[in-house]
Amino acid sequence: MVDIEFEIDGKLVNANQGDSIISIADREGIDVPRFCYHKKLSVAANCRMCLVDIEGNPKAQPACSTPVANGMKIYTKNDKAKNAQKAVMEFLLINHPLDCPICDQGGECELQDVAMDYGSDVSKFNEGKRIVADKGIGALIQTDMTRCIHCTRCVRFGAEVAGIVEMGLTGRGEDVKIEPFLTEGIQSELSGNMIDVCPVGALTSKPFRYEARTWQMNAIQSIARHDLVGSNIYTQTYRGKVKRVVARDNEVVNETWISDRDRFSYEGLNHESRSLSPKIKKNNEWQDVSWEVALDFAVSGLKENTQMPSQFGVLASKHSTLEEFYLLQKLTRSFGSENIDYRLDKADLSIDNSLSSTITLAELESIDHALIVNSYLRLEQPMINHRIRKATLSGASVNTINIKKFDFNYGISLEVLSAPQRTVSMLQSVLKSLHEKTRTTLPKYLSKTKTDVTHNKIADDLIAAENPVIILGEHINSNPSSSNVVGLISEIAALSNAKIANLSLTGNSLSAERVGFKPANGGSDVTSMLSGDTKSFLLMDVDPNYDFISSKLATDTFNKKNVFVVSLNSFEDEQTLSSADVILPLACFYESSGTHINFDGVAQSFSASVSSPGDSKPGWKIIKVLADLLGFEGFDYTDSSQVADDALSIDITVDNNSEVNIEVSEDSQVTAHWQNSPYASDAITRKAKALQETQIGKINDAFVSDLTAKELKLSEGDLYHGVPVSINDSVAEGCVFVHTYQSRQG
Amino acid sequence: MNEVCFKNLDKENPASLATYELTGGYKVWRKILNGELSPDQILAELKTSGLRGRGGAGFPTGLKWSFMPRNQEGQKYVVCNSDEGEPGTCHDRDILRYNPHSVIEGMAIAGYVMNATVGYNYIRGEFMEPYYRFEEAIKDVYDAGLLGTNIMGSSVSFDLYTHLGAGAYICGEETALLESLEGKKGQPRFKPPFPANVGLYGKPTTINNTESFASVPEILSRGGQWFADLGVENSGGTKCFSVTGNVRKPANFEVPMGTPFSELLELAGGLKKGRKLKAVIPGGSSTPLLTAKTAMKMTMDYDSIENAGSMLGAGSVIIMDDSTCMVKTLTRLAHFYYDESCGQCTPCREGTGWLYRMLQRILDGNGKSDDLDLLMSVQEKIIGNTICALGDAAATPVESFIRHFRPEFEYYIKHGKSMVEIDG
């Protein structure tokens, strides 16, 4: 409600009770200089740069912390305000090194900008300047704390947004320092945002260091595709290379923040294993050839090896673009084959488990209870986790059912451990408890299910909440009975009026779902293709070592003599080289235009930020030419936006091919759950050097409980499929939880 | 002399509960517990008494207490600021040492008036003896059944805790004190919101100085008018002054407001033989310096000192005779503020260091002719631009020292040595 009327610089304006002067000045386009103020962080009022004159007030007042009041007369540019602002500016500059020519922040520095308006051209300071020794804070953020102006934005970011207090203001007086409390470096998955909020060159991007001056770069709007959010970003390019990625504001998607994965993965673009020219394998020897030769080789190879259409299979990474998915399925179906799949890492393909989410990103902030199933949400979907964290700050409670207790940045009320093979029975018990509490008819299959206090508590919390959500994470994908889990979650949600957030379809999976990138009409899914009679494969951005639930099955199949593999790939990894017969060099993230469909179902298109290196080409173009050469009609596209238009206008639905079967018997065998760590989620991220050097990048543990370890005769430090064993009582009994950057074994 | 806070000084065992009760202690508190004194009556008496906050700002205590939203639901707090750190002051320490019960009773009364059931006394970190003495006093009062829940069967509850600071001057600033009390780094909060609305742990809180609380029981037992009449208009009652510096008997004196400065100087034994009064800082190092001529004409009350160009402040009277080198003295003071700045806000963090470094350079004989103008300009840029009053406190002495003794500074800069031959 607008209830306050006051004057600012002679202009009569209205505001709400409690609005700060600076927020109204911003709204009215009145420029008030500031450093510590940030619209997404709490008010600190410590820089004093935004001092303004309020009539009747003997002292100038900070615009950030002073609420407007009826009848106030505010002057932001009269002598009193200007003198106060200039005084503060002078103090800020006396100990600042003024090393702008060698500072990466130069050109985009708030101190530099404001100093142009409020600073003096000659310093009156004749004493020695302060020098601050730097402590390294990890591979992502470069510190030059001598430049720090102690605005505490980074400290407040850590405490309020990242939820991990890693930086603090220590010491006092002139000796105050912003420094990390720990020596291992900053560990937050959102740490890069500290670079964005730092108004000066104290915190800058380490991988970007000395790469380019900010004014030399172009900033191109783009979309990050590592997770389900599709964070809005700018790619900043210089001489045809992406030099840096920064956040672009979009309140309903990523607000002001992006994850470190979205920010630093671009480094992978320049990896030495980039595929730069088409390659064909003849007599087991690779040779670089022209596109014409490679395409001919590919087309004739596909034709020769495929006696009937059903022997042709197409597999694509879940990070492909909407356009790539659309054209690939069109090509496959033109071929007469239904063998297409993107669900390479799913163990249970028995039903289409595209459980639809029934809540939006922004709505996640206003839930009052969340049940997180099978997700290390903080690392896997950082921006979604941030929304949940915000909800918890407003009082929401969170329960988890996970294979291990994970390190969340908010309190978890109840952490239930469940090995993959027991998740179904766990959820059955929760469902039964819900039935009992809601006095609804118990389905027959639950008659023998037992419940205990844990199940009752989970059910109670769901029922008691007004606005609960059940979050299903990506760990479910490697569960062989995931369709049962999905079915149960649907039932639980329906009974408790909970919304569903299905995060298991991550990356650009929703684009694949949208264009029906799954076998229909008796086609083969990924597992049937790999274990069946498929004689030729077209692989889109696939790494056989990482992307499959069974990398052994995949590599064995691709390596068969009589199987012809065309790989569209940005990287020439060892396994790709050994599996493929043709490598068609593929443009990577930011090198191709495309579309990502995010959690909210919003299709966000982006253009290419840079052209792809060497002879590599955007995926949609390669597929189009392949289709043309294969003689298919309907591929005469000249622009990816035409492809997107077609993709979004055609409704291809792939039906479920079986009923939900929730009756399941408990398996007592010890299972292994292989979960790649977030910085091994896709090819480009795996090649991003700085990310790999972080704590998250180095995750490499085979967690096993004491009891299970004894059963398996494992001890601490042993290698379990190449991953060091960590005996840990926070992991569920009856399983080994392998959390690692390494590729899947077995 | 010594009629309110120090009234038991001449008794045996002045800090004990027995002595305190013998001289009328806890009479007011018992009346409250018997339901014979309403909060409104107490507020009226306090307003009549003219008691003003003794911590330095001089805000009327009765008015301050009436700002608390006493009928608001939820926890409220009473906090006593015993973080006495102003250079030149040590009278609160002696109140804690010799009359701790007056503080306890004053706080309990405040709690009753403002409907706050918990109180904290934040005691300066270096005050170990007063701390133990105060703790002992609290224990005695609890043993006597005068504190706790539903005290003496009444509906009144009040619990009191002591907290020992950790040696930061800034924690004497009331909001920094609250931060410190909450276990955080002692840094002032910006205002608004004020502690009366958002104070300790975000709850309504009233913070008063030790001497203010200690005066309350006597005011209520002998009447607001009695107290007001002790002093002069606009400065009711008595005030404890710590008289230090170049006097023969530096000590604490509780004298009526309006006592001539010259009398106070005499109480402290006067100057050393042969010395002449050069300057006086009347209210602690944060208040402007006055020349001897001005000081000798003033009386010790809010208005007179303000008319003389300074402030009563915390009642810490620093006497300087003609053996004092003003450059050296100011440099020492500048170092204090440079050292004690919390570093949170820009003008104070950067400005106090700049002032100190310039002064130290002058003291080292490397002064430049334009340094004095620069000092004046720097202090002017600090004043009024900081979160709390420490910035102003650091700037004030620079301004007043240079204004009154500019030739002495100029001499030092020119000759690289002090104009004052004997520095002692």
Side-chain angles (χ1 to χ4, degrees), chain B residues 185-313:
Chain B
K185 192 175 175 215
Q187 289 187 163
R189 300 173 180 173
F190 58 82
K191 286 155 276 195
F194 291 93
N197 297 312
V198 182
L200 185 63
Y201 304 115
K203 304 292 182 197
T205 303
T206 287
I207 305 140
N208 278 115
N209 164 260
T210 318
E211 187 182 344
S212 308
F213 279 124
S215 306
V216 169
E218 199 64 11
I219 290 171
L220 295 177
S221 106
R222 300 182 69 170
Q225 197 56 49
W226 165 80
F227 188 78
D229 291 345
L230 287 175
V232 291
E233 206 194 331
N234 218 8
S235 303
T238 56
K239 171 82 189 90
C240 299
F241 291 99
S242 302
V243 185
T244 61
N246 303 132
V247 285
R248 283 196 290 187
K249 288 192 277 179
N252 291 319
F253 306 96
E254 185 175 37
V255 295
M257 288 282 197
T259 302
F261 165 73
S262 52
E263 278 183 29
L264 189 62
L265 184 57
E266 278 316 304
L267 281 174
L271 300 171
K272 280 184 201 160
K273 213 173 165 191
R275 299 257 71 105
K276 276 195 299 190
L277 186 65
K278 183 174 186 177
V280 177
I281 300 178
S285 65
S286 308
T287 61
L289 172 96
L290 298 173
T291 57
K293 210 172 126 195
T294 322
M296 289 307 278
K297 279 189 278 182
M298 71 182 175
T299 55
M300 301 307 286
D301 57 86
Y302 290 103
D303 291 349
S304 176
I305 299 181
E306 204 172 314
N307 288 337
S310 188
M311 291 187 297
L312 180 100

Side-chain angles (χ1 to χ4, degrees), chain A residues 187 196 243 299 355 454 599 620:
Chain A
Q187 302 186 20
D196 284 355
K243 290 292 180 188
V299 168
L355 182 67
T454 304
F599 181 78
W620 71 272

